[in-house]
Amino acid sequence: FFFLMMRSTTVNSLLISKVAFFSVLLLHVNLIVLCLHPIICGSVQSSGIDHSGTKMYSFSDYQTSILTPTTVGDSQVKFCPFKAVNSLITLTTLRLLSYKSLFVPKRVSASASARVTVSLMRKSSPVSLQRLHSQLVDSNVEVDAEAAQKEKKALKDKKRKAAAEALEVVVIGLSHHNAKVEVREKLAIPEEKWSEASNQLCEQYDSIAEAAVLSTCNRFELYLSGQNQYECMRAAMDFLYERAGGTLDQVTLRRNLFMLTGEDAIWHLLKVSAGLDSLIVGEGQILAQVKRCYERGTAKDGRAGKVVSRLLNTAVTAGKRVRAETGIAKGAVSISSAAAEFTQMTLQRDCNIVTGIQDARVAIIGAGKMARLLLVHLHTQGLNKVVIVNRSKDKMAELQAEFPDMTIEFQLMDQLWEVIRESDVVYPSTSATTTIIDPEPLRACLASRSGPGGVQFVDISVPRNVHPDCGTVSGAFCYNVDDLKLVVERNTAKRRKEMIEAEHILREELGK
């Protein structure tokens, strides 16, 4: 090894030769210490207990005692200099032989050595290999933490570089204007997975620098930024096609999508946040949904950089201003209230109930936000009794406390078909990704129904909870969010003036 060290011509080979030379040297010294240990200490350890009553170690139990030292009574283990030297040499040899040690910063080695020195100075207990092993693990953890820090810094540099370059804004998606619910439901993403989808967009496609996702019952939109708008749109198309899982071909997907860039994209999002692009003009849910999109995009696991985050923040600010300075939100209806109003308009035709919804037997499937809003609007229309079917009864006490004047009966999902058989109106509003009401079970259920008229299903879920073929079942009248046009037209006509005032405000925000 000395010959190799002298013949080395590069810095790396010289370093490796020195490490190898001193490693072998230290191993020899280690063997000498192990041999001297039983010779010197053996004469005073024949009985295993010295005159002071302290436990000593013999050569035979050296390997086990160094890992799990024992004591006699409350006495402490006696410090052995040979074992300490042996442990120190072992630690040094392991450091030299570890390939990571060649690249460990000096400050890490210094901190580890300092800890060993402190341990050697403690005369109350020896330096065991177990403790030395933990010190080695600590030093490796420091190295791993430093590597993670470097990776985090590299990610920040990438974001800073992307922010410094000119990025173009792109909005791509589909809504109730150009895509039916059977297409929208194939791309829908639950809110808890918005950040996961935005991360997939940025990591899988180099052309997308920033991304945020908004998915509601009436729209699915991606807010993106990239250096090249065409490459960005092409990548988003690939993502949507992959998201559909083969259920939508390229032609159908392109026919239902809209793509906007630059000021057109910004103007679109401002109208969305203000409620001007909603199925129900002025409805308040969309502003809260855009705000949650902004919050998730700017969270630790979000991918809305400076461009997309500013776009979303501006949209939220504009939406709040429109609602504060115009009357567009006064008396406005949501999807839930539109469903309740729709039932009031069609109840006599479908269910043969003339007196009104207050005399109908109503059931709601699900106990989430949509169900709560339904209860609010049904109660204002005079309904005092309702049946809620849910997977659990966790929210029973909460809803009963919020609506003390209503009689709320809770049933679990295994009672679903019995509840449908005894109901006149059913509002499915769950977050299920597949249908929960299918044609064949529904046909068998309604065959044994004894009530007058049929059963009206107003499905306000996306993806739909009621199978499309259920409309062919005799006695079943099935509707979804796209069928609320009667309520939509009436609501839009009332808000023509407020819509014009709102657009003036949005143009001011666009010019800022």
Side-chain angles (χ1 to χ4, degrees):
F1 287 109
F2 182 78
F3 175 74
L4 290 175
M5 180 181 67
M6 297 301 295
R7 291 290 300 274
S8 299
T9 57
T10 63
V11 176
N12 287 336
S13 58
L14 180 60
L15 177 61
I16 295 173
S17 300
K18 286 183 178 180
V19 168
F21 175 75
F22 285 110
S23 298
V24 175
L25 180 62
L26 286 173
L27 286 174
H28 282 76
V29 175
N30 193 14
L31 291 175
I32 295 173
V33 171
L34 287 176
C35 293
L36 292 176
H37 180 274
I39 297 174
I40 298 177
C41 299
S43 59
V44 296
Q45 299 178 19
S46 57
S47 62
I49 305 293
D50 68 352
H51 295 290
S52 62
T54 304
K55 174 70 177 179
M56 300 292 290
Y57 294 98
S58 63
F59 184 75
S60 60
D61 62 353
Y62 174 78
Q63 291 183 344
T64 56
S65 63
I66 196 170
L67 292 175
T68 55
T70 57
T71 59
V72 177
D74 296 331
S75 60
Q76 298 179 346
V77 181
K78 189 174 181 180
F79 177 72
C80 179
F82 282 96
K83 290 176 63 181
V85 173
N86 172 254
S87 300
L88 180 59
I89 293 174
T90 304
L91 172 64
T92 306
T93 305
L94 289 174
R95 280 189 168 279
L96 289 173
L97 290 178
S98 174
Y99 74 93
K100 283 187 177 181
S101 302
L102 297 176
F103 306 100
V104 173
K106 292 183 179 180
R107 61 181 183 83
V108 177
S109 300
S111 61
S113 301
R115 288 196 295 270
V116 175
T117 305
V118 171
S119 300
L120 289 174
M121 294 175 64
R122 293 179 179 175
K123 295 184 179 180
S124 58
S125 62
V127 182
S128 66
L129 281 180
Q130 185 177 4
R131 187 172 300 174
L132 294 177
H133 177 266
S134 66
Q135 292 171 355
L136 277 174
V137 172
D138 291 341
S139 64
N140 288 334
V141 169
E142 292 179 17
V143 175
D144 295 338
E146 187 167 336
Q149 190 71 19
K150 289 182 179 179
E151 184 178 353
K152 185 177 180 181
K153 184 179 179 181
L155 181 60
K156 285 185 177 180
D157 292 339
K158 181 180 179 181
K159 289 183 177 181
R160 191 180 297 111
K161 182 180 179 181
E165 297 175 350
L167 298 179
E168 300 184 28
V169 178
V170 176
V171 175
I172 182 172
L174 38 80
S175 68
H176 60 92
H177 292 298
N178 53 346
K180 294 184 178 180
V181 64
E182 53 263 29
V183 178
R184 301 199 304 269
E185 66 186 1
K186 291 180 172 63
L187 299 175
I189 299 178
E191 184 178 336
E192 59 271 14
K193 294 186 178 181
W194 288 359
S195 298
E196 180 182 340
S198 60
N199 276 278
Q200 183 181 352
L201 280 163
C202 293
E203 293 172 1
Q204 189 171 343
Y205 305 100
D206 295 334
S207 57
I208 299 178
E210 303 172 1
V213 177
L214 176 65
S215 180
T216 70
C217 57
N218 284 323
R219 68 183 65 251
F220 174 83
E221 297 181 359
L222 303 177
Y223 307 111
L224 313 170
S225 69
Q227 297 180 22
N228 189 308
Q229 61 181 5
Y230 302 106
E231 293 181 359
C232 196
M233 287 188 286
R234 190 180 302 110
M237 279 289 299
D238 293 340
F239 170 80
L240 294 177
Y241 182 73
E242 181 181 344
R243 173 72 188 171
T247 57
L248 294 175
D249 57 78
Q250 290 279 2
V251 176
T252 304
L253 185 61
R254 290 180 181 275
R255 186 186 303 123
N256 288 274
L257 282 176
F258 68 87
M259 302 179 187
L260 300 171
T261 61
E263 281 197 9
D264 292 336
I266 300 172
W267 177 249
H268 168 77
L269 181 55
L270 292 180
K271 290 182 65 177
V272 168
S273 181
L276 301 184
D277 196 64
S278 299
L279 178 67
I280 311 297
V281 176
E283 59 101 359
Q285 282 183 299
I286 187 61
L287 177 59
Q289 291 163 342
V290 174
K291 185 178 180 181
R292 290 199 297 273
C293 177
Y294 168 74
E295 291 171 348
R296 289 187 176 273
T298 55
K300 188 176 181 180
D301 58 342
R303 297 304 292 265
K306 290 186 178 180
V307 175
V308 173
S309 62
R310 183 180 179 183
L311 173 65
L312 292 169
N313 186 38
T314 302
V316 173
T317 303
K320 290 180 179 179
R321 185 183 168 191
V322 166
R323 282 163 174 76
E325 299 181 16
T326 68
I328 197 169
K330 293 180 181 179
V333 293
S334 62
I335 295 297
S336 299
S337 62
E341 188 175 343
F342 178 83
T343 297
Q344 191 76 276
M345 297 168 58
T346 58
L347 188 62
Q348 181 178 356
R349 181 190 66 193
D350 294 342
C351 305
N352 197 24
I353 298 177
V354 182
T355 54
I357 197 172
Q358 64 272 11
D359 295 327
R361 296 171 295 179
V362 177
I364 300 174
I365 305 175
K369 296 179 182 179
M370 301 290 279
R372 188 188 68 80
L373 291 173
L374 267 172
L375 288 174
V376 172
H377 298 293
L378 291 172
H379 185 52
T380 59
Q381 293 184 2
L383 185 68
N384 295 318
K385 183 178 180 181
V386 66
V387 179
I388 293 182
V389 182
N390 198 36
R391 291 175 298 179
S392 64
K393 296 184 178 182
D394 296 340
K395 297 183 179 180
M396 177 177 63
E398 181 181 344
L399 290 176
Q400 286 179 338
E402 189 173 355
F403 302 95
D405 298 333
M406 295 186 70
T407 302
I408 302 177
E409 179 185 347
F410 281 85
Q411 296 290 345
L412 297 176
M413 290 299 292
D414 55 358
Q415 301 294 320
L416 174 64
W417 297 110
E418 295 181 11
V419 172
I420 292 176
R421 185 183 300 111
E422 300 299 326
S423 299
D424 298 312
V425 182
V426 179
Y427 295 101
S429 61
T430 75
S431 58
T433 56
T434 58
T435 58
I436 60 177
I437 300 177
D438 296 311
E440 293 306 321
L442 180 62
R443 186 175 287 106
C445 173
L446 297 184
S448 59
R449 175 180 164 81
S450 58
V455 180
Q456 183 183 88
F457 295 89
V458 184
D459 188 358
I460 57 176
S461 304
V462 177
R464 289 174 294 180
N465 292 164
V466 180
H467 195 279
D469 294 339
C470 287
T472 62
V473 177
S474 177
F477 301 90
C478 303
Y479 307 94
N480 55 54
V481 291
D482 288 348
D483 296 313
L484 305 179
K485 293 181 180 179
L486 292 176
V487 181
V488 172
E489 292 173 357
R490 179 185 300 181
N491 177 73
T492 304
K494 292 179 180 179
R495 288 172 171 77
R496 294 292 183 189
K497 181 181 178 181
E498 286 80 4
M499 291 173 64
I500 296 174
E501 295 178 358
E503 287 190 359
H504 284 303
I505 295 175
L506 294 181
R507 294 194 184 279
E508 291 179 4
E509 292 292 329
L510 182 64
K512 290 183 178 180

